[in-house]
Amino acid sequence: MVKAVENLTALTLRLLARTAHPRLDEWDLATCEVLAALPVPGLADLISSGLTGSRLSLGIRRELLRDVVPGATLHLRARLGSSGDILAEPHPAVGDFRVERP
């Protein structure tokens, strides 16, 4: 079995839409516009290449999106999972997940 590469990317996103994640309970699948994508020091960056200005779908734990509406700006860190899904950190440290309301 190949070991997954530890990876993490800091993203600034504008939330466009969200629905229940098709495979992960208690997660939403968020469609976002990528405003910025930066590597996290010391970890591989597997998702930021050429993303700025494009759309991205990623899994975010539903509890983190409570009362967040489309148009909000999200600041979070995400990784490319072994299944090919992009997933936000499920339990981010204080300051690693922020929401700017529209």
Side-chain angles (χ1 to χ4, degrees):
M1 174 181 261
V2 176
K3 184 179 177 186
V5 174
E6 282 194 53
N7 70 94
L8 203 58
T9 303
L11 298 171
T12 302
L13 308 165
R14 178 164 296 112
L15 180 63
L16 302 174
R18 61 187 261 217
T19 61
H21 196 286
R23 291 184 312 282
L24 300 174
D25 290 339
E26 299 180 20
W27 287 69
D28 281 348
L29 186 62
T31 301
C32 301
E33 176 186 1
V34 179
L35 303 175
L38 299 168
V40 172
L43 294 171
D45 173 11
L46 301 181
I47 60 177
S48 74
S49 180
L51 277 182
T52 301
S54 63
R55 286 191 178 199
L56 173 71
S57 292
L58 74 157
I60 302 175
R61 204 165 53 86
R62 187 168 297 127
E63 182 178 315
L64 294 171
L65 292 175
R66 185 176 300 155
D67 301 323
V68 178
V69 298
T73 300
L74 308 175
H75 302 270
L76 55 84
R77 299 182 334 166
R79 65 179 176 82
L80 180 63
S82 59
S83 64
D85 291 323
I86 296 174
L87 301 171
E89 289 181 301
H91 303 285
V94 174
D96 285 340
F97 186 92
R98 293 184 296 112
V99 176
E100 294 175 32
R101 310 244 185 247

Coordinates of all heavy atoms in Angstrom, one line a residue:
M1 N 0.8 -1.2 0.0 CA 0.0 0.0 0.0 C 0.9 1.2 0.0 O 1.8 1.3 0.7 CB -0.9 0.0 1.2 CG -1.7 1.2 1.4 SD -2.8 1.2 2.9 CE -4.3 0.7 2.1
V2 N 0.6 2.2 -0.8 CA 1.3 3.4 -0.9 C 0.8 4.4 0.2 O -0.4 4.6 0.4 CB 1.1 4.1 -2.3 CG1 1.8 5.4 -2.4 CG2 1.6 3.2 -3.4
K3 N 1.8 5.0 0.9 CA 1.4 5.9 1.9 C 1.0 7.3 1.3 O 1.7 7.8 0.4 CB 2.6 6.1 2.9 CG 2.3 7.0 4.0 CD 3.5 7.2 5.0 CE 3.1 8.2 6.0 NZ 4.2 8.5 6.9
A4 N -0.1 7.8 1.8 CA -0.5 9.1 1.3 C 0.5 10.2 1.7 O 1.0 10.2 2.8 CB -1.9 9.5 1.8
V5 N 0.7 11.2 0.8 CA 1.5 12.3 1.1 C 0.8 13.3 2.0 O -0.3 13.7 1.7 CB 1.9 13.0 -0.2 CG1 2.7 14.3 0.0 CG2 2.7 12.1 -1.1
E6 N 1.5 13.7 3.1 CA 0.9 14.7 4.0 C 0.9 16.0 3.2 O 1.9 16.4 2.7 CB 1.7 14.8 5.3 CG 1.4 13.8 6.3 CD 1.9 14.1 7.6 OE1 1.6 15.2 8.1 OE2 2.6 13.3 8.2
N7 N -0.3 16.6 3.0 CA -0.4 17.8 2.3 C -1.5 18.7 2.9 O -2.4 18.2 3.5 CB -0.8 17.4 0.8 CG -2.2 16.9 0.6 OD1 -3.1 17.7 0.3 ND2 -2.3 15.6 0.8
L8 N -1.3 20.0 2.6 CA -2.3 21.0 3.2 C -2.0 22.3 2.4 O -0.9 22.6 2.1 CB -2.0 21.2 4.7 CG -3.1 21.7 5.5 CD1 -4.4 20.8 5.4 CD2 -2.7 21.9 6.9
T9 N -3.1 22.9 2.1 CA -3.1 24.2 1.3 C -4.0 25.2 2.0 O -5.1 24.8 2.4 CB -3.5 24.0 -0.2 OG1 -2.7 23.0 -0.7 CG2 -3.4 25.2 -1.0
A10 N -3.6 26.4 2.2 CA -4.4 27.5 2.7 C -5.2 28.1 1.6 O -4.7 28.5 0.6 CB -3.5 28.5 3.4
L11 N -6.6 28.1 1.7 CA -7.4 28.6 0.7 C -8.3 29.7 1.2 O -8.8 29.7 2.3 CB -8.4 27.5 0.2 CG -7.7 26.2 -0.4 CD1 -8.7 25.1 -0.6 CD2 -7.1 26.6 -1.7
T12 N -8.5 30.7 0.3 CA -9.5 31.7 0.5 C -10.6 31.5 -0.6 O -10.2 31.5 -1.7 CB -8.9 33.1 0.5 OG1 -7.9 33.3 1.5 CG2 -10.0 34.2 0.7
L13 N -11.8 31.3 -0.2 CA -12.9 30.9 -1.1 C -14.1 31.8 -0.9 O -14.4 32.2 0.2 CB -13.2 29.5 -0.8 CG -12.1 28.4 -0.8 CD1 -12.6 27.2 -0.1 CD2 -11.6 28.2 -2.2
R14 N -14.8 32.0 -2.0 CA -16.2 32.6 -1.9 C -17.2 31.4 -2.1 O -17.2 30.7 -3.1 CB -16.4 33.6 -3.0 CG -17.9 34.2 -2.9 CD -18.0 35.5 -3.6 NE -17.2 36.5 -3.0 CZ -16.2 37.1 -3.6 NH1 -15.8 36.8 -4.8 NH2 -15.5 38.0 -2.9
L15 N -18.0 31.2 -1.1 CA -19.0 30.1 -1.2 C -20.1 30.5 -2.2 O -20.7 31.5 -2.1 CB -19.6 29.9 0.2 CG -20.7 28.8 0.3 CD1 -20.1 27.4 0.0 CD2 -21.3 28.8 1.7
L16 N -20.3 29.6 -3.1 CA -21.3 29.8 -4.2 C -22.5 28.9 -3.9 O -23.7 29.4 -4.1 CB -20.7 29.4 -5.5 CG -19.5 30.2 -6.0 CD1 -19.0 29.7 -7.3 CD2 -19.8 31.7 -6.1
A17 N -22.3 27.7 -3.4 CA -23.5 26.8 -3.1 C -23.0 25.7 -2.2 O -21.8 25.4 -2.2 CB -24.0 26.2 -4.4
R18 N -23.9 25.0 -1.6 CA -23.6 23.8 -0.8 C -24.7 22.8 -0.8 O -25.9 23.2 -0.8 CB -23.1 24.2 0.6 CG -24.2 24.9 1.4 CD -23.7 25.4 2.7 NE -24.0 24.5 3.8 CZ -24.3 24.9 5.0 NH1 -24.3 26.2 5.3 NH2 -24.6 24.1 5.9
T19 N -24.3 21.5 -0.8 CA -25.3 20.5 -0.7 C -24.7 19.4 0.2 O -23.5 19.5 0.6 CB -25.6 19.8 -2.0 OG1 -24.4 19.3 -2.6 CG2 -26.1 20.8 -3.0
A20 N -25.5 18.4 0.6 CA -25.0 17.3 1.4 C -23.9 16.6 0.6 O -24.1 16.4 -0.6 CB -26.1 16.4 1.8
H21 N -22.9 16.2 1.2 CA -21.8 15.4 0.5 C -22.4 14.1 0.2 O -23.0 13.4 1.0 CB -20.6 15.3 1.4 CG -19.3 14.9 0.7 ND1 -19.2 13.6 0.2 CD2 -18.3 15.6 0.3 CE1 -18.0 13.5 -0.4 NE2 -17.4 14.7 -0.4
P22 N -22.1 13.6 -1.0 CA -22.7 12.3 -1.5 C -22.2 11.1 -0.8 O -22.8 10.1 -0.7 CB -22.4 12.3 -3.0 CG -21.2 13.2 -3.2 CD -21.4 14.2 -2.1
R23 N -21.0 11.2 -0.2 CA -20.4 10.0 0.5 C -20.0 10.2 1.9 O -19.8 9.2 2.6 CB -19.1 9.6 -0.3 CG -19.4 9.0 -1.7 CD -18.2 8.5 -2.4 NE -17.0 9.4 -2.4 CZ -16.9 10.5 -3.1 NH1 -17.8 10.8 -4.0 NH2 -15.9 11.3 -3.1
L24 N -20.0 11.4 2.4 CA -19.5 11.6 3.8 C -20.6 12.1 4.7 O -21.1 13.3 4.4 CB -18.3 12.6 3.8 CG -17.1 12.1 3.0 CD1 -16.0 13.2 3.0 CD2 -16.5 10.9 3.6
D25 N -21.0 11.4 5.7 CA -22.0 11.8 6.6 C -21.5 13.0 7.4 O -20.3 13.1 7.7 CB -22.4 10.7 7.6 CG -23.2 9.6 7.0 OD1 -23.8 9.8 5.9 OD2 -23.2 8.5 7.6
E26 N -22.4 14.0 7.7 CA -22.0 15.2 8.5 C -21.1 16.1 7.7 O -20.5 17.0 8.4 CB -21.5 14.8 9.8 CG -22.5 14.0 10.7 CD -22.0 13.6 12.0 OE1 -21.0 14.2 12.5 OE2 -22.5 12.7 12.6
W27 N -21.0 16.0 6.4 CA -20.2 16.9 5.6 C -21.0 17.4 4.5 O -22.0 16.8 4.1 CB -19.0 16.1 4.9 CG -17.9 15.7 5.9 CD1 -18.0 14.8 6.9 CD2 -16.6 16.3 5.9 NE1 -16.8 14.7 7.5 CE2 -15.9 15.6 7.0 CE3 -15.9 17.2 5.1 CZ2 -14.6 15.9 7.3 CZ3 -14.6 17.5 5.4 CH2 -13.9 16.8 6.5
D28 N -20.7 18.6 4.1 CA -21.3 19.2 2.9 C -20.3 19.3 1.8 O -19.1 19.3 2.0 CB -21.8 20.7 3.2 CG -23.1 20.7 4.0 OD1 -23.8 19.7 4.1 OD2 -23.5 21.8 4.5
L29 N -20.8 19.3 0.6 CA -20.0 19.5 -0.6 C -20.2 21.0 -1.0 O -21.3 21.4 -1.4 CB -20.4 18.6 -1.8 CG -19.5 18.6 -3.0 CD1 -18.1 18.2 -2.6 CD2 -20.1 17.7 -4.1
A30 N -19.2 21.8 -0.9 CA -19.3 23.2 -1.1 C -18.7 23.5 -2.5 O -17.6 23.1 -2.8 CB -18.5 24.0 0.0
T31 N -19.4 24.3 -3.3 CA -18.9 24.8 -4.5 C -18.4 26.2 -4.3 O -19.2 27.0 -3.8 CB -20.0 24.8 -5.6 OG1 -20.4 23.4 -5.8 CG2 -19.4 25.3 -7.0
C32 N -17.2 26.5 -4.6 CA -16.6 27.8 -4.3 C -15.8 28.4 -5.4 O -15.3 27.7 -6.3 CB -15.7 27.7 -3.1 SG -16.4 27.0 -1.6
E33 N -15.7 29.7 -5.4 CA -14.7 30.4 -6.3 C -13.4 30.6 -5.5 O -13.5 31.0 -4.3 CB -15.3 31.8 -6.7 CG -14.3 32.6 -7.5 CD -14.7 34.0 -7.8 OE1 -15.8 34.4 -7.3 OE2 -14.0 34.7 -8.4
V34 N -12.3 30.2 -6.1 CA -11.0 30.3 -5.4 C -10.5 31.7 -5.5 O -10.3 32.2 -6.6 CB -10.0 29.3 -5.9 CG1 -8.7 29.4 -5.2 CG2 -10.6 27.9 -5.9
L35 N -10.3 32.4 -4.4 CA -9.8 33.7 -4.4 C -8.3 33.7 -4.2 O -7.6 34.6 -4.7 CB -10.5 34.6 -3.3 CG -12.0 34.6 -3.4 CD1 -12.6 35.4 -2.2 CD2 -12.5 35.3 -4.7
A36 N -7.8 32.8 -3.4 CA -6.3 32.7 -3.2 C -6.0 31.2 -2.7 O -6.9 30.6 -2.1 CB -5.9 33.7 -2.1
A37 N -4.9 30.8 -3.1 CA -4.4 29.4 -2.6 C -2.9 29.5 -2.4 O -2.1 29.9 -3.3 CB -4.7 28.4 -3.7
L38 N -2.5 29.2 -1.2 CA -1.1 29.3 -0.8 C -0.6 28.0 -0.1 O -1.4 27.4 0.6 CB -0.9 30.4 0.2 CG -1.3 31.8 -0.3 CD1 -1.3 32.8 0.9 CD2 -0.3 32.3 -1.3
P39 N 0.6 27.6 -0.3 CA 1.1 26.4 0.4 C 1.2 26.7 1.9 O 1.3 27.8 2.4 CB 2.5 26.3 -0.2 CG 2.9 27.5 -0.9 CD 1.6 28.3 -1.1
V40 N 1.1 25.6 2.7 CA 1.3 25.6 4.1 C 2.7 25.2 4.4 O 3.1 24.1 3.9 CB 0.3 24.7 4.9 CG1 0.6 24.6 6.3 CG2 -1.1 25.2 4.7
P41 N 3.5 26.0 5.1 CA 5.0 25.7 5.2 C 5.2 24.3 5.9 O 4.5 23.9 6.8 CB 5.4 26.8 6.2 CG 4.5 28.0 6.0 CD 3.2 27.3 5.7
G42 N 6.1 23.6 5.3 CA 6.5 22.3 5.8 C 5.6 21.1 5.3 O 5.9 20.0 5.6
L43 N 4.6 21.4 4.5 CA 3.7 20.4 4.0 C 3.6 20.5 2.4 O 3.7 21.6 1.9 CB 2.3 20.4 4.6 CG 2.3 20.1 6.1 CD1 0.9 20.4 6.6 CD2 2.7 18.7 6.4
A44 N 3.4 19.4 1.8 CA 3.2 19.4 0.3 C 1.9 20.1 0.0 O 0.9 20.1 0.7 CB 3.1 18.0 -0.2
D45 N 2.0 20.9 -1.1 CA 0.8 21.6 -1.6 C 0.4 20.9 -2.9 O 1.0 21.0 -4.0 CB 1.2 23.1 -1.9 CG 0.1 23.8 -2.6 OD1 -1.0 23.3 -2.7 OD2 0.4 25.0 -3.1
L46 N -0.7 20.1 -2.8 CA -1.1 19.3 -4.0 C -2.3 19.9 -4.7 O -2.7 19.3 -5.7 CB -1.4 17.9 -3.5 CG -0.3 17.1 -2.8 CD1 -0.8 15.7 -2.5 CD2 0.9 17.0 -3.7
I47 N -2.8 21.0 -4.3 CA -4.0 21.5 -4.9 C -4.0 22.9 -5.4 O -4.9 23.4 -6.1 CB -5.3 21.3 -4.0 CG1 -5.1 22.0 -2.7 CG2 -5.5 19.8 -3.8 CD1 -6.3 21.9 -1.8
S48 N -3.0 23.7 -5.1 CA -3.1 25.2 -5.4 C -2.8 25.5 -6.8 O -3.2 26.6 -7.3 CB -2.3 26.0 -4.5 OG -0.9 25.9 -4.8
S49 N -2.1 24.7 -7.6 CA -1.6 25.1 -8.9 C -2.7 25.5 -9.8 O -3.6 24.7 -10.2 CB -0.8 23.9 -9.5 OG -0.3 24.2 -10.8
G50 N -2.7 26.8 -10.2 CA -3.6 27.3 -11.2 C -5.1 27.4 -10.7 O -6.0 27.6 -11.5
L51 N -5.3 27.4 -9.4 CA -6.7 27.4 -8.9 C -7.3 28.8 -8.8 O -8.5 28.9 -8.9 CB -6.8 26.8 -7.5 CG -6.9 25.3 -7.5 CD1 -7.0 24.8 -6.0 CD2 -8.1 24.8 -8.3
T52 N -6.5 29.8 -8.6 CA -7.0 31.1 -8.3 C -7.9 31.6 -9.5 O -7.5 31.5 -10.6 CB -5.9 32.2 -8.1 OG1 -5.1 31.7 -7.0 CG2 -6.5 33.6 -7.8
G53 N -9.2 32.0 -9.1 CA -10.1 32.4 -10.1 C -11.0 31.3 -10.7 O -12.0 31.6 -11.4
S54 N -10.7 30.1 -10.3 CA -11.5 29.0 -10.8 C -12.5 28.5 -9.8 O -12.5 29.0 -8.6 CB -10.6 27.8 -11.2 OG -9.9 27.3 -10.1
R55 N -13.4 27.6 -10.1 CA -14.3 27.0 -9.2 C -13.7 25.7 -8.7 O -13.0 25.0 -9.3 CB -15.6 26.7 -9.9 CG -16.4 27.9 -10.1 CD -17.8 27.6 -10.6 NE -18.5 28.9 -10.8 CZ -19.8 29.0 -10.8 NH1 -20.6 27.9 -10.7 NH2 -20.4 30.2 -10.9
L56 N -14.1 25.4 -7.4 CA -13.6 24.2 -6.7 C -14.7 23.6 -5.9 O -15.5 24.4 -5.2 CB -12.4 24.6 -5.8 CG -11.9 23.6 -4.9 CD1 -11.1 22.5 -5.7 CD2 -10.9 24.2 -3.9
S57 N -14.9 22.3 -5.9 CA -15.8 21.6 -5.0 C -15.0 20.9 -3.9 O -14.0 20.2 -4.3 CB -16.7 20.6 -5.7 OG -17.6 21.3 -6.6
L58 N -15.4 21.1 -2.7 CA -14.6 20.5 -1.6 C -15.6 20.1 -0.5 O -16.6 20.7 -0.3 CB -13.5 21.3 -1.1 CG -13.8 22.5 -0.3 CD1 -12.6 22.9 0.6 CD2 -14.2 23.7 -1.1
G59 N -15.2 19.1 0.3 CA -15.9 18.7 1.5 C -15.6 19.6 2.7 O -14.4 19.8 2.9
I60 N -16.6 20.0 3.4 CA -16.4 20.8 4.6 C -17.4 20.2 5.6 O -18.6 20.0 5.3 CB -16.7 22.3 4.4 CG1 -15.8 22.9 3.3 CG2 -16.5 23.1 5.7 CD1 -16.1 24.3 2.9
R61 N -16.9 20.0 6.8 CA -17.7 19.4 7.9 C -18.9 20.4 8.1 O -18.7 21.6 8.3 CB -16.9 19.2 9.1 CG -17.5 18.2 10.1 CD -16.5 17.7 11.1 NE -15.9 18.8 11.8 CZ -16.4 19.4 12.9 NH1 -17.6 18.9 13.4 NH2 -15.8 20.4 13.5
R62 N -20.1 19.8 8.0 CA -21.3 20.7 8.1 C -21.4 21.6 9.3 O -21.8 22.7 9.2 CB -22.6 19.7 8.1 CG -23.9 20.4 8.0 CD -25.0 19.5 7.7 NE -24.8 18.8 6.5 CZ -24.8 17.5 6.3 NH1 -25.1 16.7 7.3 NH2 -24.6 16.9 5.1
E63 N -20.9 21.2 10.4 CA -20.9 22.0 11.6 C -20.2 23.3 11.4 O -20.5 24.3 12.0 CB -20.3 21.2 12.8 CG -20.4 22.0 14.1 CD -19.8 21.1 15.3 OE1 -20.2 20.0 15.4 OE2 -19.0 21.7 16.0
L64 N -19.1 23.3 10.6 CA -18.3 24.5 10.4 C -19.1 25.5 9.5 O -18.8 26.7 9.6 CB -17.0 24.1 9.7 CG -16.0 23.3 10.5 CD1 -14.8 22.8 9.7 CD2 -15.5 24.1 11.7
L65 N -20.0 25.0 8.8 CA -20.8 25.9 7.9 C -22.1 26.3 8.4 O -22.9 26.9 7.7 CB -21.0 25.2 6.5 CG -19.7 25.0 5.7 CD1 -20.1 24.2 4.4 CD2 -19.1 26.3 5.3
R66 N -22.4 26.0 9.7 CA -23.6 26.4 10.3 C -23.9 27.9 10.1 O -23.0 28.7 10.4 CB -23.6 26.1 11.8 CG -24.9 26.3 12.5 CD -24.9 25.9 13.9 NE -24.6 24.5 14.0 CZ -24.1 23.9 15.0 NH1 -23.7 24.6 16.1 NH2 -23.8 22.6 15.0
D67 N -25.0 28.3 9.6 CA -25.5 29.6 9.3 C -24.6 30.4 8.3 O -24.7 31.6 8.2 CB -25.5 30.5 10.7 CG -26.4 29.8 11.7 OD1 -27.5 29.3 11.3 OD2 -26.1 29.9 12.9
V68 N -23.8 29.7 7.5 CA -23.0 30.3 6.5 C -23.8 30.3 5.2 O -24.3 29.2 4.8 CB -21.6 29.7 6.3 CG1 -20.9 30.3 5.2 CG2 -20.8 29.7 7.6
V69 N -24.0 31.4 4.5 CA -24.8 31.5 3.3 C -23.9 31.8 2.1 O -22.8 32.3 2.2 CB -25.8 32.6 3.5 CG1 -26.8 32.3 4.6 CG2 -25.2 34.0 3.6
P70 N -24.4 31.5 0.9 CA -23.6 31.8 -0.3 C -23.2 33.3 -0.3 O -24.0 34.1 0.1 CB -24.6 31.4 -1.4 CG -25.4 30.3 -0.8 CD -25.6 30.7 0.6
G71 N -22.1 33.5 -0.8 CA -21.5 34.9 -0.9 C -20.5 35.1 0.2 O -19.7 36.0 0.2
A72 N -20.5 34.3 1.3 CA -19.5 34.4 2.4 C -18.1 34.0 1.9 O -18.0 33.2 0.9 CB -19.9 33.5 3.5
T73 N -17.1 34.6 2.5 CA -15.7 34.3 2.2 C -15.2 33.4 3.3 O -15.4 33.7 4.5 CB -14.9 35.6 2.1 OG1 -15.4 36.4 1.1 CG2 -13.4 35.3 1.8
L74 N -14.6 32.3 2.8 CA -14.1 31.3 3.8 C -12.6 31.3 3.7 O -12.0 31.3 2.6 CB -14.6 29.9 3.4 CG -16.1 29.7 3.2 CD1 -16.4 28.3 2.7 CD2 -16.9 29.9 4.5
H75 N -12.0 31.2 4.9 CA -10.5 31.1 5.0 C -10.3 29.7 5.7 O -10.8 29.6 6.8 CB -9.9 32.2 5.8 CG -10.2 33.6 5.2 ND1 -9.4 34.2 4.3 CD2 -11.2 34.4 5.5 CE1 -9.8 35.4 4.0 NE2 -11.0 35.5 4.7
L76 N -9.7 28.8 5.0 CA -9.5 27.4 5.6 C -8.3 26.8 5.0 O -7.6 27.3 4.1 CB -10.8 26.6 5.3 CG -11.2 26.4 3.9 CD1 -10.5 25.3 3.1 CD2 -12.7 26.2 3.8
R77 N -8.0 25.6 5.6 CA -6.9 24.8 5.1 C -7.5 23.5 4.6 O -8.4 22.9 5.3 CB -5.9 24.6 6.1 CG -5.3 25.9 6.5 CD -4.2 25.9 7.5 NE -4.1 24.7 8.4 CZ -3.0 24.5 9.2 NH1 -1.9 25.2 9.1 NH2 -3.0 23.4 10.0
A78 N -7.1 23.0 3.5 CA -7.6 21.7 2.9 C -6.5 20.8 2.4 O -5.4 21.3 2.1 CB -8.6 22.1 1.8
R79 N -6.9 19.6 2.2 CA -5.9 18.6 1.7 C -6.6 17.8 0.6 O -7.8 17.7 0.5 CB -5.5 17.7 2.8 CG -6.6 16.8 3.3 CD -6.1 15.9 4.4 NE -7.2 15.1 5.0 CZ -7.7 14.0 4.5 NH1 -7.3 13.5 3.4 NH2 -8.7 13.4 5.1
L80 N -5.7 17.2 -0.2 CA -6.2 16.3 -1.3 C -6.2 14.9 -0.6 O -5.2 14.4 -0.1 CB -5.3 16.3 -2.5 CG -5.6 15.3 -3.6 CD1 -7.0 15.7 -4.2 CD2 -4.5 15.4 -4.7
G81 N -7.4 14.3 -0.5 CA -7.5 13.0 0.2 C -7.1 11.8 -0.7 O -7.0 12.0 -1.9
S82 N -7.0 10.7 -0.1 CA -6.6 9.5 -0.9 C -7.6 9.1 -1.9 O -7.3 8.4 -2.9 CB -6.3 8.3 0.1 OG -7.5 8.0 0.8
S83 N -8.9 9.5 -1.7 CA -9.9 9.1 -2.7 C -10.0 10.2 -3.9 O -10.8 10.0 -4.8 CB -11.3 9.0 -2.0 OG -11.6 10.3 -1.5
G84 N -9.1 11.2 -3.8 CA -9.2 12.2 -4.8 C -10.0 13.4 -4.4 O -10.1 14.4 -5.2
D85 N -10.8 13.3 -3.3 CA -11.6 14.5 -2.9 C -10.7 15.5 -2.2 O -9.7 15.2 -1.6 CB -12.6 14.0 -1.8 CG -13.7 13.1 -2.4 OD1 -14.1 13.4 -3.5 OD2 -14.1 12.2 -1.7
I86 N -11.1 16.8 -2.3 CA -10.5 17.8 -1.6 C -11.3 18.0 -0.3 O -12.5 18.2 -0.4 CB -10.3 19.1 -2.4 CG1 -9.4 18.8 -3.6 CG2 -9.8 20.3 -1.5 CD1 -9.3 20.0 -4.6
L87 N -10.7 18.0 0.9 CA -11.4 18.1 2.1 C -10.8 19.1 3.0 O -9.6 19.2 3.2 CB -11.3 16.7 2.9 CG -11.9 15.5 2.1 CD1 -11.6 14.2 2.8 CD2 -13.4 15.7 2.0
A88 N -11.6 20.0 3.6 CA -11.2 21.0 4.6 C -10.8 20.2 5.8 O -11.3 19.1 6.1 CB -12.3 22.0 4.8
E89 N -9.9 20.8 6.6 CA -9.6 20.2 7.9 C -10.9 20.0 8.7 O -11.6 21.0 8.9 CB -8.6 21.1 8.7 CG -7.3 21.2 8.2 CD -6.4 22.1 9.0 OE1 -6.7 23.3 9.2 OE2 -5.3 21.6 9.5
P90 N -11.1 18.8 9.2 CA -12.4 18.6 10.0 C -12.5 19.3 11.3 O -13.5 19.7 11.7 CB -12.4 17.1 10.1 CG -11.0 16.6 10.0 CD -10.3 17.6 9.1
H91 N -11.3 19.5 12.0 CA -11.3 20.1 13.3 C -10.1 21.1 13.3 O -9.1 20.9 13.9 CB -11.1 19.0 14.4 CG -12.2 18.0 14.4 ND1 -13.5 18.3 14.8 CD2 -12.2 16.7 13.9 CE1 -14.2 17.2 14.7 NE2 -13.5 16.2 14.1
P92 N -10.3 22.2 12.6 CA -9.2 23.2 12.5 C -8.9 23.9 13.8 O -9.7 24.0 14.7 CB -9.8 24.2 11.5 CG -11.2 24.1 11.6 CD -11.5 22.7 11.9
A93 N -7.6 24.2 13.9 CA -7.2 25.0 15.1 C -7.8 26.4 15.1 O -8.2 26.9 14.0 CB -5.7 25.1 15.1
V94 N -7.9 27.1 16.2 CA -8.4 28.4 16.3 C -7.6 29.3 15.3 O -6.4 29.3 15.2 CB -8.3 29.0 17.7 CG1 -8.7 30.4 17.7 CG2 -9.1 28.2 18.7
G95 N -8.4 30.0 14.4 CA -7.8 30.9 13.4 C -7.5 30.2 12.1 O -7.3 30.9 11.1
D96 N -7.6 28.9 12.0 CA -7.4 28.2 10.7 C -8.7 28.0 9.9 O -8.6 27.5 8.8 CB -6.7 26.9 10.9 CG -5.3 27.0 11.3 OD1 -4.7 28.0 11.0 OD2 -4.7 26.0 11.9
F97 N -9.8 28.4 10.5 CA -11.1 28.5 9.8 C -11.8 29.7 10.1 O -12.2 29.9 11.3 CB -11.9 27.2 10.1 CG -13.2 27.2 9.3 CD1 -13.2 26.4 8.1 CD2 -14.4 27.8 9.6 CE1 -14.3 26.4 7.3 CE2 -15.5 27.7 8.9 CZ -15.5 27.0 7.7
R98 N -12.0 30.6 9.2 CA -12.7 31.9 9.4 C -13.7 32.1 8.4 O -13.6 31.7 7.2 CB -11.7 33.1 9.4 CG -10.7 33.1 10.6 CD -9.9 34.3 10.6 NE -9.0 34.4 9.4 CZ -9.1 35.4 8.4 NH1 -10.1 36.3 8.5 NH2 -8.3 35.4 7.4
V99 N -14.8 32.8 8.7 CA -15.9 33.1 7.8 C -16.1 34.6 7.8 O -16.2 35.2 8.9 CB -17.2 32.4 8.2 CG1 -18.3 32.9 7.2 CG2 -17.0 30.9 8.1
E100 N -16.1 35.3 6.7 CA -16.5 36.7 6.5 C -17.8 36.7 5.9 O -18.0 36.2 4.8 CB -15.5 37.4 5.6 CG -14.1 37.5 6.2 CD -13.1 38.2 5.2 OE1 -13.6 39.1 4.4 OE2 -11.9 37.8 5.2
R101 N -18.8 37.2 6.6 CA -20.2 37.1 6.1 C -20.4 38.3 5.1 O -19.7 39.3 5.2 CB -21.1 37.4 7.3 CG -20.8 36.4 8.5 CD -22.0 35.5 8.7 NE -21.7 34.7 9.9 CZ -21.5 33.4 9.9 NH1 -21.5 32.7 8.8 NH2 -21.3 32.7 11.0
P102 N -21.2 38.0 4.1 CA -21.5 39.0 3.0 C -22.2 40.2 3.6 O -22.8 40.2 4.6 CB -22.3 38.3 2.0 CG -22.9 37.1 2.7 CD -22.0 36.8 3.9

